[in-house]
Amino acid sequence: MPSDRPHILISNDDGIDAPGIVALAAAAAARFPAVTVVAPATEQSGTSHALTLRRPVRVETRGPGAGPARPAGSGWFAVEGTPTDCVSLALFQLLPAAGRPDLVLSGINAGYNLGEDVTYSGTVAAALEARMAGVPSLAISTARDADPASLAAAAEVAVRLAAEVLARGLPEDALLNINVPPNPRGYRVTRQGRRGAFDGVIERPAGTAREFYFVGLPPSTWLHEDGADHAAVAEGFVSITPLHGDLTFHRARPLVEGWGVADWVLPTPPGRETR
Ligand code: MN
């Protein structure tokens, strides 16, 4: 049941001072009556769905107007943690007084989140965390080098889709992964694409001692498949991929059952050998 006064929670993985989240918050604040930003204090790209478990997590309130131009009418919290920490803290600690959000937006990420890259993405993980807590969510990404006008346009695409999700709802467990190219020609609903060749993530040693390496994703070569996210973006369309948190590969279940695992003899724990 959509709220009359929707409350939007915004997070990201590029950090609270990144231009993408400021553009997204500005567009959301212009469209929706209540916007709260809970985002990492520092960049957390590539942290996926990580939780901070072994140290306390500091939260700092930042008012509108401090730092980059933060839109009025929005509350800002900087978290010394991961995108997943941010969404979890927001939903279960920071927001109960203000009310549970109706929707979570994560982004706008500097760099597309296409194909298998969604598994590395803190941007997508923040949206997944929200969805796991029962709050509909969208992850929004654009080109790494997007200029301010392109960021503003991507933010408009995000709030357009947010309004649609608030009005129509999404299936339980579904989140939307949105990738917005510059000057989009239209919208396409896509599937998560796949890399043709995977060359690993280790780019090169730093220095000569070969003791340190830079870890990053090399340029992607994608498989050509109908409806793939990367193809839509390459052709200039906004890519909308519905994702869900269930990683089960259902078609493989009968195959693995066919190994006869139900009849396998179990290992005997030490000390319990039958004599
Ligand atoms: Mn990022």
Side-chain angles (χ1 to χ4, degrees):
M1 185 67 196
S3 161
D4 288 342
R5 290 182 49 78
H7 176 200
I8 309 298
L9 172 66
I10 297 181
S11 195
N12 75 346
D13 76 0
D14 291 338
I16 197 163
D17 294 323
I21 197 168
V22 175
L24 183 57
R31 177 77 168 246
F32 301 110
V35 173
T36 305
V37 178
V38 182
T42 56
E43 186 181 344
Q44 301 289 315
S45 293
T47 58
S48 186
H49 207 177
L51 280 172
T52 301
L53 296 177
R54 297 178 67 84
R55 61 170 180 80
V57 174
R58 179 181 166 85
V59 180
E60 186 185 330
T61 304
R62 299 207 186 163
R70 301 198 173 98
S74 54
W76 291 67
F77 299 85
V79 175
E80 296 278 353
T82 65
T84 298
D85 294 334
C86 291
V87 171
S88 188
L89 276 170
L91 295 183
F92 300 111
Q93 296 294 331
L94 302 175
L95 289 183
R100 199 170 165 83
D102 299 284
L103 185 91
V104 171
L105 297 175
S106 181
I108 298 168
N109 192 61
Y112 298 120
N113 276 303
L114 299 165
E116 293 95 337
D117 290 2
V118 300
T119 64
Y120 300 108
S121 171
T123 308
V124 173
L128 178 59
E129 184 70 6
R131 188 68 271 196
M132 284 164 53
V135 182
S137 59
L138 288 73
I140 307 101
S141 307
T142 189
R144 182 165 294 283
D145 58 355
D147 59 24
S150 297
L151 274 182
E156 288 306 320
V157 166
V159 296
R160 170 76 181 81
L161 281 157
E164 201 72 19
V165 168
L166 284 168
R168 295 178 185 267
L170 279 175
E172 192 182 344
D173 201 27
L175 57 132
L176 298 183
N177 182 35
I178 317 295
N179 285 277
V180 187
N183 306 308
R185 302 161 57 189
Y187 292 82
R188 277 190 190 161
V189 180
T190 56
R191 55 162 288 171
Q192 185 184 321
R194 292 187 294 165
R195 278 204 171 69
F198 188 73
D199 297 327
V201 296
I202 307 298
E203 282 187 340
R204 60 188 179 276
T208 54
R210 299 186 71 85
E211 291 171 348
F212 296 93
Y213 291 81
F214 285 108
V215 174
L217 285 169
S220 307
T221 49
W222 301 108
L223 282 181
H224 293 283
E225 292 174 305
D226 279 350
D229 50 10
H230 55 84
V233 168
E235 290 168 33
F237 289 86
V238 175
S239 166
I240 306 169
T241 312
L243 301 178
H244 63 100
D246 179 0
L247 296 177
T248 312
F249 185 15
H250 290 279
R251 275 191 292 131
R253 283 180 60 196
L255 183 138
V256 177
E257 280 166 357
W259 298 350
V261 295
D263 300 323
W264 284 5
V265 176
L266 291 167
T268 308
R272 290 202 203 156
E273 293 86 356
T274 49
R275 293 166 203 274

